[in-house]
Amino acid sequence: MVTNERKVQWKYYFTAGLITLVIFLVGIYFSFFLDKMKVSSLEGSVREMRITQEDAELEMTAINLLGGKKCDVLLHEIEGIVPKAAELGEKLEFYEARERFQDPSYPSLKKDYTLTLVRYWLFVSKAKDDCKYGYEPILYFYSNDKCDDCIRQGTVLSYLKEQHPQKIMVFAIDNDIKLGSITLIKGAYNVTKTPSIILNETLFEGLQDLGKTRELLNLTS
Amino acid sequence: MQPIDTAYLSVFFIMIYSSVLWFIVFFRNKNDFPVTAGSPSITFLVPAFNEEKNIGRCIDSLLSMDYGGEVKIVVINDGSTDRTGEIAKQYAGKVTVLEKPNEGKKSKALNYALGKLPVSTELTACMDADSYVSKDYLKRIVEHMGNADAVTPAMKVSEPRTIYQMVQWVEYCFAIFLRRVFSVFECQYVLPGPGSIYRTASLKKAGYFDENNLTEDMELAFRMHDNGQKIGNCVNAFVYTECPDTFRKLLKQRVRWYRGYLQNVFKYRHMILNPSYGNLGIYLIPVNFIWIFVLLFLFIYPIFNIASQIWDFSIRWSSIGFALTQPKFNIGLVYLDFYIVFWALFWVLNIMTVYLSITASGEKVDLKARKKYYIGYVLMYPVMLTIFWIAALWDEISKARLRW
């Protein structure tokens, strides 16, 4: 039993609490600032992607009007654009999966990206038909909501793309995104579940494992 | 925001708060020491069990101290089977040697000496036989006594050789810093075996050492607080001690220490959140528990996270037939974690604390010569600390028998 009561030095606790709160709030502010910078960076990349895509479409139109070796030029453009679009898609997916305080402008950003990606897919599909390119544009519908097969399908497609970069182009669309054009495309191909891939105007629903996907793409290895 | 994010932010708040509190207390009281005039007489009690390699060094350091008052040295040969007793007796005339059969506990050896002698000097000190003191240790520690009933020294690791000893070297420097803070807060909860000194009357009043306790030095500190007695600290009275050189030995030592802490907190549980016990009851004991949870959270949750990621990775990898792919490095602004700012803040404060601890303990940081120490401390210490606590909690919960 204590006979000499000790003083609790509250002033130290309060001072430390105040300073910690200030440091903490500064930390929160910087975290939000960092988040804004991330979104700003992504917005810049999506804008650049959209400009590049519009430029490529304009090029095609110009070549059609003015003549010229359009297919060589276009192939060069497409081979540059599509991998960058895929990389941007991965960044968006990473941001969406990991970010704790998502910027309110992110949903619009994602829609912007998706629309641009769909334009790419349409453009690339048409260019393939016009120029008889050897690559296969794949429209791939996935979901982030309890879809383990989507993870597997995404891995298969990424792996095959890595193995055959000149042959495979993957356009990955979030099935849960609400856009009129996406709904239209899904309706046209009768996409009802995820994962689903559209290849050569044909829908393949459910997980297409590595062997099956190779078969669909006529790949020997 | 998920519940796990709330947990992480709370943990960061606690870690930053603790560091800020320590800094404020340390800097506000850096040069605020009680000063005692004079050189009161003192008896050093040195219990020794099979310390033939170290006992000579210990006694030599005590005999070499620069001190104006009377110093008595009593070695309690605790049933040693090596040459400890023989070496101690070589100092006949300067050192009293008491022989005692070994009963497995240092506290019994100390109490034996305290009961048998009796101690007639004004002060009593305890010294582990594997430790030694700096020349000015006694002058400084007595100077800083003021009106305290006991004073703790600044302990350092003697000649670290293995990585475990290097990590402990940094840890002990940090402990010097913390003891200063605890001294200001009057909440020192351990009187280290090597080098703590007591007013003999206060030690008698406290009732000497509890022979049934795993950590008798900690129990005595708690008891002294319970009696309203005061414990001070001297940051520059240096005692050098041997530390475990392997993980196994260190684990055994720390499990004993931490189990001892848990047992003593339980024994003195009436202190918890009791303002009568000042900062010890309101701050130190509750915060130590919070820190245990913080450690466990920071260690266990990432393990689950990594296990989950390994599981996800194996699912993905199995879908491509375990084929080898090019490694991918996610570099870019987007990949920076939300918590990176807080981790950066925490590490800045951590580095500042370590720097302050090392300089406060009179050492040079010397990054080049001591880089292994610091790398070991940063990478290994948090993991080791968590393992020690998990082992101690497990042992305590399962009430495993532990030999001192």
Side-chain angles (χ1 to χ4, degrees):
Chain A
M1 178 82 78
V2 67
T3 50
N4 301 323
E5 281 216 8
R6 312 291 169 90
K7 278 188 209 164
V8 178
Q9 285 140 311
W10 295 110
K11 65 174 184 183
Y12 287 118
Y13 298 122
F14 285 132
T15 310
L18 269 172
I19 294 172
T20 305
L21 195 62
V22 168
I23 294 172
F24 208 70
L25 289 173
V26 167
I28 298 262
Y29 170 78
F30 271 112
S31 296
F32 277 117
F33 180 72
L34 184 67
D35 188 59
K36 277 241 172 289
M37 280 180 64
K38 286 182 193 178
V39 171
S40 187
S41 157
L42 290 169
E43 278 172 346
S45 299
V46 170
R47 204 177 314 122
E48 207 183 295
M49 184 180 147
R50 195 174 348 106
I51 290 169
T52 311
Q53 187 269 326
E54 285 171 3
D55 185 39
E57 279 183 349
L58 210 53
E59 260 184 68
M60 194 158 172
T61 309
I63 288 166
N64 281 335
L65 272 174
L66 306 168
K69 290 187 181 170
K70 66 171 181 183
C71 290
D72 293 340
V73 171
L74 273 175
L75 183 62
H76 178 74
E77 294 276 357
I78 288 165
E79 283 176 345
I81 293 166
V82 177
K84 281 186 187 164
E87 194 184 307
L88 180 53
E90 282 171 11
K91 285 184 181 175
L92 285 164
E93 201 186 330
F94 187 91
Y95 176 86
E96 191 173 328
R98 302 289 178 92
E99 206 50 47
R100 278 86 175 172
F101 302 102
Q102 280 192 8
D103 192 279
S105 63
Y106 176 76
S108 302
L109 174 66
K110 191 167 178 192
K111 284 181 180 177
D112 198 356
Y113 166 78
T114 306
L115 285 173
T116 311
L117 198 67
V118 169
R119 282 200 210 100
Y120 267 136
W121 174 68
L122 291 168
F123 172 73
V124 163
S125 300
K126 187 169 185 318
K128 179 195 169 181
D129 289 340
D130 287 354
C131 296
K132 306 287 181 264
Y133 291 140
Y135 56 72
E136 298 290 349
I138 302 169
L139 191 63
Y140 163 51
F141 288 93
Y142 69 90
S143 174
N144 287 324
D145 186 20
K146 297 184 183 88
C147 181
D148 287 345
D149 278 349
C150 297
I151 298 172
R152 292 184 180 89
Q153 187 70 76
T155 308
V156 166
L157 290 171
S158 299
Y159 172 69
L160 290 174
K161 194 173 73 178
E162 193 187 293
Q163 299 294 305
H164 307 276
Q166 307 300 325
K167 179 138 172 97
I168 297 167
M169 289 183 185
V170 181
F171 301 86
I173 306 289
D174 186 346
N175 189 60
D176 303 314
I177 205 161
K178 304 280 182 277
L179 280 169
S181 52
I182 302 298
T183 310
L184 193 77
I185 292 169
K186 280 160 64 176
Y189 289 96
N190 203 24
V191 174
T192 55
K193 62 186 236 180
T194 51
S196 287
I197 56 176
I198 295 169
L199 172 66
N200 291 326
E201 302 289 308
T202 311
L203 171 70
F204 299 94
E205 279 195 320
L207 172 66
Q208 311 298 315
D209 62 24
L210 184 64
K212 181 76 183 167
T213 312
R214 276 204 176 109
E215 214 178 281
L216 292 173
L217 292 164
N218 295 318
L219 297 171
T220 50
S221 62
Chain B
M1 197 158 84
Q2 312 251 340
I4 192 68
D5 298 311
T6 312
Y8 260 113
L9 287 172
S10 305
V11 160
F12 281 123
F13 191 90
I14 290 162
M15 294 197 293
I16 294 169
Y17 178 81
S18 292
S19 297
V20 169
L21 179 66
W22 296 336
F23 286 151
I24 293 173
V25 174
F26 183 83
F27 282 114
R28 285 292 307 271
N29 299 279
K30 205 172 160 193
N31 299 312
D32 183 18
F33 298 106
V35 178
T36 313
S39 307
S41 57
I42 185 165
T43 301
F44 277 86
L45 303 175
V46 187
F49 174 69
N50 288 351
E51 290 284 0
E52 63 180 4
K53 286 187 185 146
N54 298 312
I55 187 68
R57 181 181 66 178
C58 176
I59 296 172
D60 284 338
S61 74
L62 293 174
L63 290 171
S64 311
M65 288 184 301
D66 178 20
Y67 186 68
E70 182 194 4
V71 177
K72 290 183 178 177
I73 300 168
V74 177
V75 171
I76 307 111
N77 184 16
D78 200 5
S80 301
T81 55
D82 63 2
R83 296 177 57 238
T84 302
E86 184 191 320
I87 295 168
K89 282 170 186 162
Q90 287 171 6
Y91 294 87
K94 297 176 192 171
V95 170
T96 304
V97 181
L98 298 177
E99 299 283 350
K100 176 192 164 294
N102 185 267
E103 292 172 90
K105 291 196 174 187
K106 187 171 80 172
S107 50
K108 285 187 188 269
L110 288 167
N111 285 346
Y112 173 79
L114 287 162
K116 192 168 174 68
L117 286 168
V119 173
S120 58
T121 52
E122 202 175 322
L123 304 176
T124 304
C126 296
M127 182 59 61
D128 285 359
D130 62 358
S131 305
Y132 58 97
V133 300
S134 59
K135 246 180 137 56
D136 54 6
Y137 145 82
L138 187 55
K139 198 158 67 169
R140 287 184 176 178
I141 200 170
V142 167
E143 228 171 48
H144 284 73
M145 197 147 194
N147 63 355
D149 296 283
V151 188
T152 60
M155 281 174 57
K156 291 188 184 180
V157 170
S158 165
E159 296 162 18
R161 293 173 300 279
T162 68
I163 187 65
Y164 301 104
Q165 290 173 326
M166 292 173 190
V167 170
Q168 288 172 84
W169 184 92
V170 182
E171 185 197 29
Y172 274 52
C173 288
F174 177 56
I176 292 173
F177 166 78
L178 264 193
R179 286 221 175 88
R180 178 72 194 119
V181 171
F182 291 165
S183 167
V184 171
F185 264 17
E186 292 186 311
C187 61
Q188 294 239 55
Y189 63 95
V190 63
L191 288 151
S196 293
I197 69 167
Y198 311 80
R199 292 190 190 280
T200 306
S202 302
L203 183 58
K204 190 175 181 186
K205 183 184 171 186
Y208 302 144
F209 297 93
D210 182 350
E211 294 174 8
N212 296 315
N213 203 282
L214 269 179
T215 48
E216 72 288 337
D217 46 4
M218 195 185 296
E219 195 280 334
L220 180 59
F222 271 95
R223 191 161 9 108
M224 290 184 87
H225 279 295
D226 207 21
N227 293 342
Q229 291 171 304
K230 194 172 167 179
I231 302 173
N233 167 259
C234 179
V235 289
N236 55 7
F238 298 118
V239 176
Y240 300 87
T241 190
E242 290 291 328
C243 282
D245 55 354
T246 64
F247 180 76
R248 208 182 171 88
K249 288 180 193 171
L250 185 56
L251 176 66
K252 190 179 172 195
Q253 181 198 62
R254 297 309 170 99
V255 165
R256 181 176 70 83
W257 285 7
Y258 299 165
R259 279 189 70 198
Y261 175 78
L262 293 169
Q263 289 176 6
N264 285 316
V265 165
F266 183 75
K267 183 176 176 182
Y268 292 97
R269 56 193 181 277
H270 55 274
M271 291 183 179
I272 301 172
L273 294 173
N274 187 340
S276 303
Y277 294 93
N279 297 305
L280 179 67
I282 290 293
Y283 168 71
L284 187 88
I285 300 174
V287 157
N288 276 349
F289 279 113
I290 291 172
W291 267 106
I292 295 169
F293 283 115
V294 164
L295 268 176
L296 295 176
F297 171 77
L298 287 177
F299 185 71
I300 291 169
Y301 179 73
I303 289 178
F304 278 120
N305 219 9
I306 290 168
S308 168
Q309 285 181 23
I310 290 172
W311 175 250
D312 283 344
F313 175 77
S314 63
I315 288 176
R316 287 174 203 261
W317 203 25
S318 68
S319 62
I320 56 169
F322 302 103
L324 289 174
T325 58
Q326 275 181 358
K328 223 175 180 181
F329 301 104
N330 290 333
I331 298 167
L333 187 63
V334 158
Y335 299 110
L336 286 177
D337 190 73
F338 172 80
Y339 292 123
I340 196 163
V341 174
F342 292 99
W343 279 116
L345 267 171
F346 169 68
W347 278 110
V348 163
L349 287 169
N350 206 14
I351 289 165
M352 279 171 63
T353 309
V354 170
Y355 177 82
L356 203 60
S357 302
I358 290 165
T359 51
S361 57
E363 296 283 347
K364 287 200 172 99
V365 173
D366 202 348
L367 268 176
K368 202 175 169 186
R370 292 192 173 130
K371 61 175 179 286
K372 257 178 109 174
Y373 293 43
Y374 304 128
I375 292 170
Y377 183 73
V378 164
L379 295 178
M380 292 168 61
Y381 185 64
V383 176
M384 281 166 37
L385 198 61
T386 312
I387 293 170
F388 298 154
W389 269 110
I390 290 172
L393 285 165
W394 178 261
D395 273 6
E396 190 58 22
I397 289 166
S398 59
K399 297 282 183 203
R401 287 193 60 190
L402 185 74
R403 277 173 50 168
W404 178 81

